[in-house]
Amino acid sequence: MKFNDLQPIYIQIMDYIKYLIIKGELKPLEKIPSVRDIASELKVNPNTVQRSYQELDREGVIFAQRGLGNFVTENPEIIDNLKNNKVDEILNIFIEEISKLGINREESIKLLNESWDKHEKSIRN
Amino acid sequence: MKFNDLQPIYIQIMDYIKYLIIKGELKPLEKIPSVRDIASELKVNPNTVQRSYQELDREGVIFAQRGLGNFVTENPEIIDNLKNNKVDEILNIFIEEISKLGINREESIKLLNESWDKHEKSIRN
Amino acid sequence: MKFNDLQPIYIQIMDYIKYLIIKGELKPLEKIPSVRDIASELKVNPNTVQRSYQELDREGVIFAQRGLGNFVTENPEIIDNLKNNKVDEILNIFIEEISKLGINREESIKLLNESWDKHEKSIRN
Amino acid sequence: MKFNDLQPIYIQIMDYIKYLIIKGELKPLEKIPSVRDIASELKVNPNTVQRSYQELDREGVIFAQRGLGNFVTENPEIIDNLKNNKVDEILNIFIEEISKLGINREESIKLLNESWDKHEKSIRN
DNA sequence: GTGGTCTAGACCACA
DNA sequence: GTGGTCTAGACCACA
């Protein structure tokens, strides 16, 4: 994982954990790596990871159990929300960027369909 | 304009100039701001801006005239190419990101249509 | 039992013993746990517990019998006093805190009645 | 201000700021002391104060303005909530403690009235 | 071992 | 000057 400097590292770690949960690589009630493990893996200070985990705890995405570790929430509603928010973000960025180039709704859908054609072809090969 | 640390600054400046040309804010044969002006505006070393302009010149996007400044190409093919490349980039990022979340072609189009609906409503108000 | 650092530990142990007597969990003439038992249970130095017991003895709340242990006083007046002092403390803290928020006598009684309503409802369920 | 060890320092600082707001000593939109000022006054590390302020910000009680300072919210609803929560806390502690001593609702109200009598007399003198 | 809090100190962003 | 982030390192609480 590489960090950029547009957002604080602790936010980027949060987004990464959320992303793993959305993709289902971290399942409900599953233990997530310890603060220290993540810190040494990402070469980041444990305090920074700790902060990410505490924010995620506050958002209800994970919960901490002292002496045991941090675990993914079992609340499906929260996980659905994570996914919906991420999808909305991707859609909005797309619409914003494509609009800035002067491309309208109809054209954007047409171009997207063509692009999916190419994408599916390249996967088949 | 803000820089990130994922790409060299001179590339980011190039992308910005290209973006202005695509949007039509810089028109064919129009003079673009001097290296020194851009440098002081972006608080960047003039050499960095100079490098961006040289690359853009090499790509045929702009051309330099000694003693006069840099000007946008009048070749419509190059400008079209700029736009197409940018559009392709946006489309590919969208498909890649939405696929990573396990959303397929059909669903992505459906979601995009819904998102356009919301977008158009919010603009009307 | 947890200790805080606002008062000496021996005072906190005294308060705890008094509290058990007030509630009737330690009855008149009943033997109270030995210094060593309390010390190991609370993970405290036996000298500290010893001091608590000596003070309680001095106050007449308990009395020591060499070779036998410590026993709760049978003097009902002393036990009543314990209770009255504790009750006064609770009342005074309440009045002090509620006054600091700018709430007067009338309002405090009204709020207390409402709070008792809620309390009794929550117990019934 | 003195800290105890029953709660983290940053929570105690939060409670203190909330208390000042409830009492009206810090008014809506008023600037609260800077992180560094509070830190040196309370002889606490600036990071600890920073954390308190950020939590209060997240709760909507104050808001930070980079380069300017932290300010009390102007949202009266949030301030009312602060007060109501504090009052509830005082009432609940009172009922819990007085119940533990075997005193019921009627008696507690009677005792409170008597205690208010004493309190008012002592103030008059 | 694992999370939680705190200090000391540095450096950045914003005004 | 003021808030925001991060590192290094210590020590505590819980299991």
Side-chain angles (χ1 to χ4, degrees):
Chain A
M1 188 187 183
K2 286 191 184 175
F3 299 115
N4 63 52
D5 62 351
L6 297 179
Q7 281 181 308
I9 291 175
Y10 80 92
I11 300 275
Q12 296 182 54
I13 294 174
M14 287 175 69
D15 285 344
Y16 182 60
I17 300 290
K18 286 179 179 176
Y19 171 68
L20 293 177
I21 294 174
I22 292 170
K23 282 190 64 179
E25 294 188 10
L26 286 174
K27 297 193 192 317
L29 296 185
E30 188 174 339
K31 185 180 182 300
I32 67 178
S34 80
V35 170
R36 285 169 177 82
D37 283 358
I38 290 284
S40 76
E41 190 191 322
L42 300 183
K43 284 166 192 165
V44 154
N45 190 286
N47 280 329
T48 303
V49 181
Q50 176 71 10
R51 181 163 184 187
S52 308
Y53 280 18
Q54 272 177 352
E55 297 281 344
L56 288 170
D57 190 329
R58 198 166 299 131
E59 293 183 3
V61 176
I62 67 178
F63 60 93
Q65 284 201 284
R66 214 175 184 138
L68 291 176
N70 285 280
F71 302 83
V72 177
T73 180
E74 61 172 339
N75 185 339
E77 211 178 306
I78 289 178
I79 295 179
D80 279 356
N81 267 337
L82 281 185
K83 182 164 179 178
N84 291 338
N85 290 341
K86 181 68 183 165
V87 169
D88 278 352
E89 188 191 311
I90 295 171
L91 289 163
N92 288 332
I93 287 175
F94 176 79
I95 289 176
E96 188 194 348
E97 298 247 298
I98 214 77
S99 297
K100 279 199 299 188
L101 301 185
I103 296 174
N104 64 18
R105 177 183 186 148
E106 237 178 16
E107 175 118 16
S108 76
I109 303 274
K110 196 189 110 221
L111 288 167
L112 183 57
N113 265 312
E114 290 168 10
S115 216
W116 269 111
D117 284 340
K118 280 187 231 158
H119 182 72
E120 284 163 355
K121 262 188 203 161
S122 75
I123 284 178
R124 270 199 294 274
N125 304 333
Chain B
M1 187 190 182
K2 287 193 183 178
F3 299 114
N4 62 54
D5 62 352
L6 299 178
Q7 283 180 310
I9 289 177
Y10 83 91
I11 300 272
Q12 296 182 52
I13 294 173
M14 286 174 68
D15 285 345
Y16 183 60
I17 299 292
K18 287 178 178 177
Y19 170 69
L20 293 178
I21 295 173
I22 292 169
K23 281 189 66 179
E25 293 187 12
L26 286 175
K27 299 193 192 316
L29 296 185
E30 187 174 342
K31 184 179 184 301
I32 67 179
S34 77
V35 169
R36 284 192 184 92
D37 284 358
I38 291 283
S40 76
E41 190 189 323
L42 300 184
K43 286 166 191 166
V44 155
N45 192 297
N47 287 328
T48 304
V49 181
Q50 179 61 25
R51 181 162 179 193
S52 309
Y53 282 17
Q54 270 175 359
E55 294 285 339
L56 288 169
D57 192 328
R58 198 166 300 143
E59 294 183 3
V61 176
I62 66 176
F63 60 92
Q65 282 204 294
R66 208 157 194 165
L68 291 176
N70 288 278
F71 301 83
V72 178
T73 179
E74 61 174 340
N75 183 338
E77 212 177 305
I78 289 179
I79 294 178
D80 279 356
N81 265 337
L82 281 184
K83 181 165 179 178
N84 291 338
N85 289 342
K86 182 66 183 167
V87 169
D88 278 351
E89 188 190 312
I90 294 171
L91 289 163
N92 289 331
I93 288 174
F94 176 79
I95 290 176
E96 187 194 350
E97 299 247 298
I98 213 78
S99 299
K100 280 199 298 188
L101 300 185
I103 295 173
N104 62 20
R105 177 182 185 149
E106 233 177 20
E107 176 115 16
S108 75
I109 302 276
K110 195 189 112 222
L111 288 168
L112 184 57
N113 265 312
E114 290 169 9
S115 218
W116 268 111
D117 284 340
K118 280 186 230 159
H119 182 72
E120 284 165 356
K121 260 187 204 161
S122 74
I123 284 179
R124 270 199 295 272
N125 303 333
Chain C
M1 187 190 183
K2 288 193 182 177
F3 298 114
N4 62 52
D5 62 352
L6 298 178
Q7 282 180 308
I9 288 176
Y10 83 92
I11 300 272
Q12 296 182 53
I13 294 173
M14 286 175 68
D15 286 343
Y16 182 60
I17 301 291
K18 287 178 179 177
Y19 170 69
L20 293 178
I21 295 172
I22 292 169
K23 281 190 65 179
E25 295 187 11
L26 287 174
K27 298 194 189 318
L29 296 184
E30 187 174 341
K31 185 179 184 301
I32 66 178
S34 78
V35 168
R36 283 192 185 92
D37 284 357
I38 291 283
S40 76
E41 190 190 323
L42 301 183
K43 285 166 191 166
V44 155
N45 192 296
N47 287 328
T48 304
V49 181
Q50 180 61 25
R51 180 162 180 194
S52 308
Y53 282 18
Q54 271 175 359
E55 295 284 340
L56 288 168
D57 192 328
R58 196 167 300 141
E59 294 183 3
V61 176
I62 68 177
F63 59 93
Q65 282 206 293
R66 209 157 194 165
L68 291 176
N70 288 279
F71 300 84
V72 176
T73 180
E74 62 174 340
N75 184 337
E77 212 177 304
I78 288 180
I79 295 179
D80 279 357
N81 264 336
L82 281 185
K83 181 164 178 178
N84 291 337
N85 289 342
K86 181 67 182 166
V87 169
D88 278 351
E89 188 191 312
I90 294 170
L91 289 163
N92 288 332
I93 287 175
F94 177 80
I95 290 176
E96 187 194 348
E97 298 247 299
I98 213 77
S99 298
K100 279 198 298 188
L101 300 185
I103 295 173
N104 64 19
R105 177 183 185 147
E106 232 177 20
E107 176 114 18
S108 76
I109 303 274
K110 195 189 112 222
L111 289 168
L112 184 57
N113 265 313
E114 290 169 9
S115 218
W116 268 112
D117 284 340
K118 282 185 230 158
H119 182 72
E120 285 164 355
K121 260 188 204 161
S122 75
I123 284 179
R124 270 198 296 274
N125 304 332
Chain D
M1 187 187 184
K2 286 190 185 177
F3 299 115
N4 63 52
D5 63 351
L6 297 178
Q7 281 181 308
I9 292 175
Y10 80 92
I11 299 276
Q12 297 182 53
I13 295 173
M14 286 175 69
D15 285 343
Y16 182 59
I17 299 291
K18 286 178 180 176
Y19 170 69
L20 293 177
I21 294 173
I22 291 170
K23 282 190 63 180
E25 295 188 11
L26 286 175
K27 298 195 191 316
L29 296 185
E30 188 173 340
K31 185 179 181 303
I32 67 178
S34 80
V35 169
R36 285 168 177 83
D37 283 358
I38 290 283
S40 76
E41 190 190 322
L42 300 183
K43 285 167 192 164
V44 155
N45 190 287
N47 279 328
T48 303
V49 180
Q50 176 70 11
R51 181 164 183 186
S52 307
Y53 280 17
Q54 271 178 352
E55 297 281 344
L56 288 169
D57 190 330
R58 198 167 297 130
E59 293 184 2
V61 175
I62 67 178
F63 60 93
Q65 285 201 283
R66 215 174 184 141
L68 291 175
N70 285 280
F71 302 83
V72 177
T73 179
E74 61 172 340
N75 184 339
E77 211 178 306
I78 289 179
I79 295 179
D80 280 355
N81 267 337
L82 282 185
K83 181 162 181 180
N84 291 338
N85 290 341
K86 182 68 183 166
V87 169
D88 278 352
E89 188 190 311
I90 295 171
L91 289 163
N92 289 331
I93 288 175
F94 177 79
I95 290 176
E96 188 195 349
E97 299 247 298
I98 214 76
S99 297
K100 280 199 298 187
L101 300 185
I103 295 173
N104 63 20
R105 177 183 185 148
E106 239 179 12
E107 176 118 17
S108 76
I109 302 274
K110 197 191 109 219
L111 288 166
L112 184 57
N113 264 312
E114 290 169 11
S115 217
W116 268 111
D117 284 341
K118 281 186 231 160
H119 182 72
E120 284 164 355
K121 262 188 202 161
S122 75
I123 283 178
R124 271 199 295 274
N125 302 332

